[in-house]
Amino acid sequence: MATPAPLSKEELNVALSQISDWSIKDGKLHRQFQFASFVEAFGFMSSVALVAEAAGHHPEWFNVYNRVTIDLTTHDAGGITSKDIELASKVDKLAK
């Protein structure tokens, strides 16, 4: 499967309007999630790992106790692509 091209600024602005609470930080799609406990945060990360593996697209992430920070970018494309937007949308659904 070919690597998608990075999104233009206009495409990225449209995409950001469709996914809540995500922003651009250091050229990556960025969001922090907070849960009631470490166990909930870890369970969320496990669910995201399964979805990411199935998509063949893996997040950069960081966990401290009940917080999970996720950054998404398509390294092969050198920027944010539709793959990142799709994964962000799936991650949002898992967080609910």
Side-chain angles (χ1 to χ4, degrees), residues 48-93:
V48 171
L50 294 172
V51 169
E53 184 65 18
H57 192 58
H58 304 93
E60 297 176 14
W61 55 9
F62 184 74
N63 166 245
V64 175
Y65 183 57
N66 66 337
R67 287 172 292 147
V68 178
T69 303
I70 298 179
D71 290 307
L72 299 174
T73 187
T74 304
H75 295 282
D76 293 350
I80 299 168
T81 69
S82 59
K83 290 174 77 171
D84 302 300
I85 302 301
E86 289 169 18
L87 185 54
S89 179
K90 290 176 183 178
V91 167
D92 283 345
K93 290 175 184 164

Side-chain angles (χ1 to χ4, degrees), residues 8-74:
S8 69
K9 280 190 174 186
E10 294 78 22
E11 291 170 324
L12 194 50
N13 286 334
V14 170
L16 282 172
S17 72
Q18 298 170 356
I19 50 176
S20 61
D21 300 318
W22 289 85
S23 62
I24 305 300
K25 183 176 179 184
D26 299 326
K28 299 174 184 176
L29 204 52
H30 174 85
R31 183 167 178 197
Q32 184 175 66
F33 297 86
Q34 188 163 335
F35 300 91
S37 67
F38 172 75
V39 171
E40 285 187 30
F42 193 86
F44 168 72
M45 290 179 74
S46 296
S47 296
V48 171
L50 294 172
V51 169
E53 184 65 18
H57 192 58
H58 304 93
E60 297 176 14
W61 55 9
F62 184 74
N63 166 245
V64 175
Y65 183 57
N66 66 337
R67 287 172 292 147
V68 178
T69 303
I70 298 179
D71 290 307
L72 299 174
T73 187
T74 304

